[in-house]
Amino acid sequence: MITYLQALNAALDKLLADDPRVFLYGQDIGSFGGAFKVTKNLAARYPGRVLDAPLSEDAIVGMAIGAAIEGMRPIVEMQFADFSTCGFNQIVNHAATLFYRTEVQCPIVVRLPSGGTPGGGPFHSQSMEALYAHYPGLIVMTPGTVEDAYSMLLEAVAIDDPVIFCEHKFLYNHLKAEALPDEALPVGKARIARRGRDATIVTHGAMVHESLAAAEELVSDGYEIEVVDLRTVKPLDTDTLLASVARTGRMLCVSEAWPWGGVSAEVLARVSTEGFGLLDVPAQRLNARDTPIPYHPDLWSAHRPTADAIVASTRHLLEM
Amino acid sequence: MLLARILEEKLSSLYRAGAIKGGVFLGRGQEALSVSVGSHLRKGDIFAPLIRDQAGRMAFGDTVLDTLRTYLGSQLGSMRGRDGNIHRGRPREGYHAMISHLGAMIPLVAGALLARRMKGETGVVGATCLGDGGTSTGAFHEGLNAAAVEKLPLVLVIANNQYAYSTPGSRQFACANLIDKAAGYGVAAHQVDGTDLNECLRVLGEAVQAARNGGGPQFVVGNLLRLVGHGEHDDASYVDTALKESPLGRDCLEVCEEFLVEKDWATTKEIADWRVEAKTEVDDTTTKVQREPSPDPAEEDWTALSERRFAEELSEA
């Protein structure tokens, strides 16, 4: 069995082995192997290519941009997605604008250990994908499976534009698969994680698994719920969403992030404007609550959507 | 230096005539320091200039033509109307196009130098320029520190021009002298009279050579006074008259011309001829660029990504 975290490590290993342009830069990622051990053993295996950085998120991203312009393929690790706010300027104003302004590509990958874990609290739990997806010039990935963690990281480095890679911390050790995949869906395509006919749940990241659990629970009520895993939030695969809604007539979008202007808002906007006629009832959404992310596990489980909450929301959707 | 001054005088008059849609930011009084940076860099080096570096840009290879194209929004300019004025460059050639956020180019140059080192290139130098105000930013601190940790051949040139827009140094930093900052980062410090071209060439030469020889980052402070407003929209009425009359307020171009005449390296007549020659080049190029096409919104592809397969198409009413 291989975990989500091991899949990321295996992808980085393969990237370093296959491409001399690839190097890793981030805090504690060298001989220590990273705060979560995603880069374990890589510094020893690839001397001079897995570099510890000072506690300087702005400089880390800025240096990656400079190296990318020089033809390298830097992969930077933010220790937590939350800390990427300190490197926000370089990401959204420099990396994201570079190609449009200068016609020079900026192939950097910024890895964001994202999302909540019990006890994570306000500054070690955030989901930043909507923030980055807002800016033109960035690709935003949110792998929700072991297979996608591996194959999407490989593809992220192959892409000639800056990629924000939101890997989910809750899945690091929880999620396991039999083996690494040989092939994958193209980036930008959503995946039907579960076939259904009565309603569609659109989701991404760790919420894919909460949604699948909710769908299983609803089987005993006679419902077959379709679950769509977005995989990338930018670009957003509107076609697959509309095709699913065409089959089911009902849609709930579930996201671990805050509601205002988030991925669920964008999904609802797309489906309502482009697929209004496909909907039997108004599209619904379920998000985290609109507060900072609480520290205590009891508060935290009531803050973010869980399988139970998704079951309740889906029942409401089905009964509308 | 003279060509940069003449070109900037033209930009100023074009601005006043309403021919430039955006802002105009000039380097009058800073040409000696700026040109010294560009002059000591060579092909294959890296340069990320700031807003008052017309002279340094031209010494590094930028042209009157591309400057005017970018200011006047010609489709044929290096930024094709997508960015303007001082935000121009050719990153593939090591000449970087600044973003507006001060200090941001320091880590960019550091990263480019790190890449060169990884590729096995030696003897490369990367230079970037900033003002006194820029030294207060977090990006300055992070970038210089990271470059120092990696011992990169970075030359960071600070034009201490006494004002960040309208804010004087006394409201910007509390150290007695800006070069005091260098010690905290463990980098070499240099200070120079930014109104004296000879001194600027000497000190920048030393700094660039030290970086090239493996001496790690070099921190250079040029003391001078900005002889224009922050931009051409700014009358700079906040500038202290005593500063204008002090040695800091000398015009580096006049100091240089006096030196040439005094040394008998050029006559006043020859200098006047150079001026006419520069003016002719600038005027002729302006005429040419003003006839060039503007970017056409209908022809614009409106895609920020280089990989078009990821471009989204939204339905709009």
Side-chain angles (χ1 to χ4, degrees):
Chain A
M1 296 294 276
I2 185 161
T3 64
Y4 184 97
L5 188 141
Q6 288 165 338
L8 293 169
N9 179 269
L12 293 173
D13 194 350
K14 180 172 166 51
L15 287 160
L16 284 160
D18 291 354
D19 189 343
R21 300 171 303 170
V22 171
F23 74 98
L24 316 187
Y25 192 51
Q27 296 157 17
D28 303 300
I29 67 166
S31 55
F32 185 63
F36 297 99
K37 302 295 173 205
V38 175
T39 57
K40 189 178 171 183
N41 297 332
L42 297 177
R45 213 168 291 163
Y46 305 98
R49 294 172 64 199
V50 183
L51 304 176
D52 282 324
L55 304 191
S56 300
E57 287 79 6
D58 181 274
I60 288 170
V61 181
M63 287 174 71
I65 298 167
I69 292 170
E70 288 290 329
M72 302 297 280
R73 294 270 162 168
I75 305 172
V76 304
E77 175 177 309
M78 293 285 137
Q79 200 150 74
F80 285 81
D82 315 47
F83 304 163
S84 73
T85 49
C86 296
F88 193 64
N89 183 49
Q90 291 285 2
I91 298 174
V92 305
N93 285 315
H94 216 166
T97 65
L98 190 75
F99 177 74
Y100 183 76
R101 295 167 61 234
T102 69
E103 288 188 300
V104 172
Q105 295 165 330
C106 187
I108 66 168
V109 175
V110 182
R111 289 182 36 238
L112 302 184
S114 304
T117 53
F123 312 117
H124 296 79
S125 303
Q126 293 172 30
S127 301
M128 319 275 293
E129 53 269 11
L131 213 51
Y132 292 109
H134 180 70
Y135 282 85
L138 300 174
I139 287 172
V140 184
M141 300 182 177
T142 55
T145 65
V146 175
E147 292 82 356
D148 277 349
Y150 179 77
S151 61
M152 289 172 79
L153 186 50
L154 296 182
E155 182 134 14
V157 175
I159 290 172
D160 290 328
D161 292 300
V163 175
I164 308 300
F165 191 83
C166 305
E167 55 195 52
H168 205 294
K169 301 195 298 291
F170 190 72
L171 304 180
Y172 272 166
N173 298 306
H174 279 68
L175 205 60
K176 296 183 176 70
E178 288 298 331
L180 294 174
D182 294 325
E183 49 188 35
L185 276 179
V187 163
K189 289 299 287 179
R191 177 179 69 99
I192 308 293
R194 187 185 195 282
R195 287 276 169 195
R197 60 160 193 268
D198 300 312
T200 298
I201 298 178
V202 176
T203 188
H204 63 283
M207 289 297 114
V208 170
H209 306 283
E210 298 293 327
S211 300
L212 287 170
E216 282 307 313
E217 197 172 324
L218 288 161
V219 170
S220 56
D221 295 5
Y223 292 120
E224 284 302 333
I225 306 301
E226 184 145 306
V227 177
V228 178
D229 173 4
L230 290 171
R231 301 175 72 244
T232 60
V233 302
K234 192 171 192 180
L236 189 65
D237 182 4
T238 313
D239 290 348
T240 298
L241 298 184
L242 293 175
S244 178
V245 172
R247 284 191 287 276
T248 64
R250 289 163 200 259
M251 187 192 78
L252 169 71
C253 186
V254 178
S255 172
E256 184 179 335
W258 293 305
W260 209 100
V263 173
S264 67
E266 185 64 26
V267 166
L268 262 68
R270 302 267 180 116
V271 171
S272 310
T273 51
E274 297 179 40
F276 188 71
L278 306 172
L279 290 164
D280 296 334
V281 298
Q284 303 294 307
R285 61 176 169 155
L286 180 64
N287 285 91
R289 292 174 193 264
D290 198 20
T291 69
I293 299 155
Y295 164 75
H296 195 285
D298 292 351
L299 290 175
W300 175 64
S301 7
H303 179 268
R304 64 165 199 155
T306 56
D308 288 348
I310 298 167
V311 166
S313 294
T314 310
R315 280 215 176 92
H316 170 71
L317 176 75
L318 291 161
E319 287 158 10
M320 282 175 89
Chain B
M1 212 172 144
L2 179 66
L3 184 57
R5 174 69 63 91
I6 302 285
L7 174 54
E8 289 202 336
E9 284 170 355
K10 182 69 177 184
L11 291 172
S12 174
S13 69
L14 286 167
Y15 176 80
R16 275 164 232 294
I20 297 171
K21 299 291 184 284
V24 169
F25 302 87
L26 304 181
R28 191 184 184 91
Q30 302 191 189
E31 292 96 334
L33 180 68
S34 181
V35 81
S36 301
V37 186
S39 300
H40 284 293
L41 299 175
R42 57 194 192 201
K43 201 169 165 54
D45 283 342
I46 294 161
F47 186 38
L50 205 74
I51 63 174
R52 307 195 196 285
D53 284 310
Q54 185 62 39
R57 287 168 185 268
M58 296 179 81
F60 193 67
D62 198 357
T63 59
V64 171
L65 180 62
D66 200 50
T67 304
L68 283 163
R69 280 176 165 167
T70 309
Y71 269 99
L72 293 167
S74 162
Q75 193 186 12
L76 306 178
S78 53
M79 309 308 279
R80 299 153 297 137
R82 290 180 171 191
D83 208 340
N85 51 50
I86 67 288
H87 297 281
R88 68 182 186 280
R90 296 180 185 274
R92 267 191 211 97
E93 296 162 24
Y95 172 41
H96 291 281
M98 58 171 284
I99 65 168
S100 299
H101 308 71
L102 296 177
M105 303 312 283
I106 300 172
L108 180 124
V109 173
L113 291 168
L114 185 69
R116 297 285 184 96
R117 177 191 288 172
M118 287 178 161
K119 291 190 280 188
E121 286 182 37
T122 52
V124 180
V125 167
T128 186
C129 303
L130 205 59
D132 39 283
T135 67
S136 305
T137 65
F140 164 88
H141 164 72
E142 290 194 14
L144 183 54
N145 180 62
V149 167
E150 291 291 344
K151 218 168 185 308
L152 294 165
L154 172 82
V155 178
L156 173 54
V157 183
I158 308 298
N160 181 17
N161 67 14
Q162 315 304 315
Y163 291 89
Y165 206 150
S166 75
T167 304
S170 60
R171 299 298 302 165
Q172 198 65 245
F173 51 88
C175 48
N177 188 320
L178 267 183
I179 63 163
D180 297 345
K181 295 201 173 197
Y185 297 98
V187 302
H190 309 258
Q191 183 163 227
V192 63
D193 174 356
T195 68
D196 184 334
L197 177 64
N198 281 316
E199 279 302 290
C200 289
L201 282 169
R202 181 181 66 77
V203 171
L204 261 305
E206 289 169 6
V208 168
Q209 200 53 47
R212 217 182 284 288
N213 292 344
Q218 308 289 314
F219 187 67
V220 184
V221 176
N223 296 304
L224 45 85
L225 182 67
R226 159 167 44 91
L227 301 181
V228 278
H230 169 63
E232 283 304 273
H233 57 277
D234 170 26
D235 67 4
S237 55
Y238 45 80
V239 174
D240 186 345
T241 315
L243 270 177
K244 290 186 196 169
E245 288 160 3
S246 77
L248 278 177
R250 299 194 301 174
D251 180 342
C252 60
L253 196 65
E254 286 174 16
V255 172
C256 183
E257 289 178 357
E258 283 163 17
F259 177 83
L260 290 177
V261 173
E262 185 192 314
K263 285 276 179 189
D264 221 11
W265 291 355
T267 64
T268 315
K269 165 79 170 63
E270 280 172 315
I271 294 171
D273 287 347
W274 295 343
R275 210 172 258 279
V276 171
E277 208 176 296
K279 198 165 180 325
T280 306
E281 181 186 349
V282 168
D283 287 347
D284 290 353
T285 311
T286 305
T287 308
K288 170 185 160 75
V289 170
Q290 282 179 322
R291 290 197 202 101
E292 290 180 352
S294 296
D296 179 355
E299 294 291 314
E300 178 77 16
D301 70 4
W302 301 111
T303 304
L305 296 169
S306 75
E307 296 223 29
R308 306 187 56 87
R309 63 190 165 125
F310 297 127
E312 296 196 300
E313 276 181 35
L314 294 186
S315 68
E316 283 171 358

